[in-house]
Amino acid sequence: MAEAKGPEDPERAEDRKPVSDEAHSAFSPPPGTEPEFAGNEQPTSEFTVPEGLPLPSEEPAEGSAFAPPSTYSAQHSPQAYTPGSGFPVSWMTESPWQDRMRTMLRMPVDVRPVPEPVQKPAETGPAVGRVLDLTLRIGELMLAGGEGAEDVEAAMFAVARSYGLDRCEPTVTFTMLSITYHPSLVGNPVSANRTVRRRGTDYTRLAAVYRLVADISTAEVDVSLEEAYRRLAEIRRNRHPYPTWVLTAAAGLLAGAASVLVGGGVIVFFAAAIGAMLGDRLAWLCAGRGLPEFYQFVVAAMPPAAFGVALKLLEIEDIQASAVITGGLFALLPGRALVAAVQDGLTGFYITASARLLEVMYLFIGIIMGVLVVLYLGLQLGAAPRPEEVLQITQRPLIQIAASMVLVFTFAILLQQERFTVWIVTLNGGVAWATFGALHFAGGIPPVPSTAIAAGLVGLFGQLFSRYRSASALPYVTAAIGPLLPGSATYYGLLLIAENQLNKGLGSLTNAAAIALAIAIGVNLGAETSRLFMRIPQAASAARHRAAAKRTRGF
């Protein structure tokens, strides 16, 4: 007989139910516990000070891990940051601002020092938009003046950090400047950019911009945003230090001195000077009409070549007509743009370097076209040139050293340099030519390595002078390489091309390009060598962190 079962207890039935993993959410609190928040309340932030630890406003007891040591003084506080590699941050305040900013730009962002702002921001914090605009305007003036991309980035970084924007990333290309500021890890970044449309060589203006950046980066000098904008406007409005007629006369003296440098006499000197001054005036006329710089170089190269062909037609004895054309080429070769292009390439700014090299190539082709047109006309008129005459340079050491210094002096005036830098760069150029002459003419060393060594001395002395003055190195370097420019090799190649000796002509132009690259690489190598004589913070560690250099080695 079956046993009758009564109604089962509901609580006991509930206990016998199978428990499934899907019965409860994985985020449900276990039975018997209560959540620490309810409603719209949120969990505490991971950056909140845990319970039991003193707040920053509280004074912890002596002996606590969060208490300042007994010898601590707020007026003489220690450095706020010491990187993991262990270099003393005090070095960052002892070296020039260029080296400090380059060092920090080469560091990863997460290990960069975060010092106190040099210039005191407003109570509401730094005016981000105005600081970024000021930074871009300063970078525009420097890039338009021919400064290298690395130095432009260092200046922009220095200005932004001085006004309290430490998490900034400046970017420089040939025609575009941009900068991005990250206010925090979760805040929206602020970006701004500026296009460089006009370029002009004025090293006096460039030196004034460097002084402004140096004052902004110095804690002892108080430069508000309004004061910085006022000084920047004055720099833009300043007239060139030399009038137009002085620049034209300097172009003529440069060509005349270059003709003497390659063996010319008195008549050749005056012919080259007059031809260069006429070419300079024609180039100014084309510039006033809005013609591109390419056609300005084409027009400027024609008068010196025409004077050389005219002297050849006159058949005056003991007159080197080729020296007239060579002197005119010295006044036109774009040595400044070439040095800047190679410098950008060696420092990792490959886009800017490619654009600058393309600019050099266009200007060089313009010079070739202007000279070749006149040479073809001269051949039709019966002016039979002698190519071997170009390579027969008379060795006159004292006269050539004096001519090289005159060439550098006039070149510095054409670059609109400050007057006190003209004499320094003239001496630097004289040393460069004396070194080249001793190595090539007396020592028998080929022209390419001789030129590279002489250019290395130019870069070494130029960097040391610029660090002593806390200024740009361009005014101390660019004009000094003038006597080393490959004017003779360029004219020899053009002459052979005009006589339908294309292979030999291209070979000579290739030699001229090799000499030009030797100049640029020598200047950059000399500048890097100068760092051996200066204490630069964490230079070795910063070089190890440059990923671009590692990629080029295949890693």
Side-chain angles (χ1 to χ4, degrees):
M1 184 175 179
E3 183 180 357
K5 295 184 178 180
E8 189 175 12
D9 188 1
E11 294 183 0
R12 296 183 62 183
E14 182 69 24
D15 293 340
R16 288 197 298 268
K17 284 184 179 179
V19 179
S20 172
D21 292 337
E22 299 178 357
H24 301 282
S25 171
F27 299 97
S28 302
T33 62
E34 294 296 333
E36 297 181 359
F37 62 93
N40 294 327
E41 296 181 2
Q42 297 295 329
T44 57
S45 170
E46 59 180 324
F47 300 102
T48 305
V49 180
E51 294 183 3
L53 295 183
L55 295 175
S57 59
E58 300 179 5
E59 185 66 26
E62 184 69 25
S64 169
F66 297 92
S70 57
T71 57
Y72 177 83
S73 173
Q75 297 179 351
H76 305 284
S77 60
Q79 295 293 338
Y81 177 82
T82 300
S85 53
F87 75 91
V89 183
S90 60
W91 283 16
M92 304 297 291
T93 61
E94 296 175 2
S95 57
W97 65 264
Q98 300 100 311
D99 297 324
R100 300 200 311 268
M101 297 304 114
R102 285 197 196 99
T103 302
M104 283 188 280
L105 280 172
R106 293 174 182 178
M107 290 180 183
V109 179
D110 57 339
V111 300
R112 288 177 184 170
V114 186
E116 294 291 333
V118 175
Q119 303 298 332
K120 297 179 180 179
E123 295 181 357
T124 58
V128 176
R130 297 195 67 195
V131 172
L132 295 184
D133 179 69
L134 175 67
T135 302
L136 290 173
R137 290 177 183 272
I138 290 177
E140 178 192 12
L141 280 181
M142 295 180 67
L143 188 63
E147 190 60 85
E150 186 179 31
D151 292 321
V152 176
E153 279 197 0
M156 294 172 64
F157 194 61
V159 174
R161 285 177 65 90
S162 298
Y163 286 107
L165 307 185
D166 57 296
R167 290 182 293 272
C168 279
E169 287 297 333
T171 304
V172 175
T173 60
F174 186 60
T175 57
M176 177 70 73
L177 298 167
S178 64
I179 186 168
T180 302
Y181 169 62
H182 298 269
S184 64
L185 294 176
V186 296
N188 294 326
V190 181
S191 298
N193 58 67
R194 195 173 183 88
T195 303
V196 179
R197 303 189 183 277
R198 298 184 59 186
R199 301 178 184 274
T201 304
D202 189 342
Y203 285 174
T204 299
R205 177 179 295 175
L206 184 63
V209 175
Y210 259 80
R211 284 192 291 270
L212 175 59
V213 176
D215 289 343
I216 292 175
S217 307
T218 304
E220 290 77 13
V221 181
D222 186 13
V223 183
S224 63
L225 276 174
E226 290 73 17
E227 176 67 14
Y229 269 105
R230 185 191 64 79
R231 289 179 58 176
L232 193 62
E234 289 181 354
I235 293 173
R236 286 179 174 275
R237 288 195 301 265
N238 278 349
R239 300 177 61 87
H240 298 307
Y242 307 103
T244 304
W245 67 270
V246 172
L247 299 179
T248 302
L253 286 176
L254 191 156
S259 66
V260 174
L261 195 66
V262 295
V266 178
I267 298 179
V268 170
F269 174 86
F270 284 104
I274 295 173
M277 288 190 289
L278 182 58
D280 180 76
R281 286 291 87 199
L282 290 176
W284 275 95
L285 180 62
C286 293
R289 299 291 181 179
L291 288 179
E293 197 172 12
F294 174 83
Y295 299 105
Q296 298 175 30
F297 272 77
V298 172
V299 172
M302 289 183 175
F307 273 84
V309 170
L311 287 179
K312 193 64 181 179
L313 290 174
L314 294 176
E315 296 182 354
I316 303 176
E317 191 176 356
D318 297 332
I319 295 296
Q320 291 187 351
S322 60
V324 178
I325 304 177
T326 304
L329 290 176
F330 268 92
L332 294 175
L333 291 177
R336 172 187 58 82
L338 178 67
V339 171
V342 175
Q343 179 183 357
D344 287 342
L346 294 177
T347 52
F349 294 85
Y350 302 116
I351 297 177
T352 307
S354 302
R356 290 187 190 272
L357 285 175
L358 190 62
E359 179 191 31
V360 171
M361 185 187 72
Y362 271 102
L363 299 182
F364 195 68
I365 292 175
I367 297 171
I368 291 175
M369 289 181 58
V371 175
L372 279 181
V373 168
V374 177
L375 288 180
Y376 276 122
L377 292 177
L379 289 175
Q380 299 301 320
L381 296 175
R386 292 185 301 162
E388 67 277 1
E389 182 184 79
V390 181
L391 303 179
Q392 296 174 357
I393 299 178
T394 306
Q395 298 184 27
R396 301 172 293 177
L398 296 180
I399 296 179
Q400 287 176 325
I401 290 176
S404 67
M405 295 182 73
V406 173
L407 189 156
V408 175
F409 180 83
T410 53
F411 197 0
I413 293 177
L414 288 175
L415 294 174
Q416 305 279 1
Q417 293 189 197
E418 294 178 299
R419 288 177 172 81
F420 74 92
T421 64
V422 171
W423 305 104
I424 299 176
V425 73
T426 299
L427 179 62
N428 199 10
V431 171
W433 176 257
T435 303
F436 171 79
L439 294 175
H440 179 57
F441 297 115
I445 300 177
V448 174
S450 301
T451 303
I453 295 173
L457 289 178
V458 169
L460 174 63
F461 294 147
Q463 281 290 337
L464 293 178
F465 280 130
S466 68
R467 287 299 180 268
Y468 175 74
R469 303 287 306 182
S470 297
S472 172
L474 291 181
Y476 302 97
V477 170
T478 306
I481 66 173
L484 305 176
L485 293 175
S488 299
T490 302
Y491 173 60
Y492 183 63
L494 296 179
L495 196 58
L496 292 174
I497 292 175
E499 292 184 337
N500 287 328
Q501 301 183 38
L502 188 60
N503 292 333
K504 291 183 178 180
L506 292 178
S508 181
L509 290 180
T510 303
N511 184 37
I515 294 175
L517 289 177
I519 293 173
I521 294 174
V523 168
N524 186 269
L525 183 60
E528 295 296 329
T529 304
S530 67
R531 300 177 188 273
L532 298 176
F533 303 94
M534 298 179 294
R535 185 172 66 172
I536 299 176
Q538 199 70 0
S541 176
R544 288 195 300 269
H545 287 104
R546 293 180 68 178
K550 292 181 180 179
R551 283 200 300 271
T552 58
R553 292 195 294 269
F555 295 100

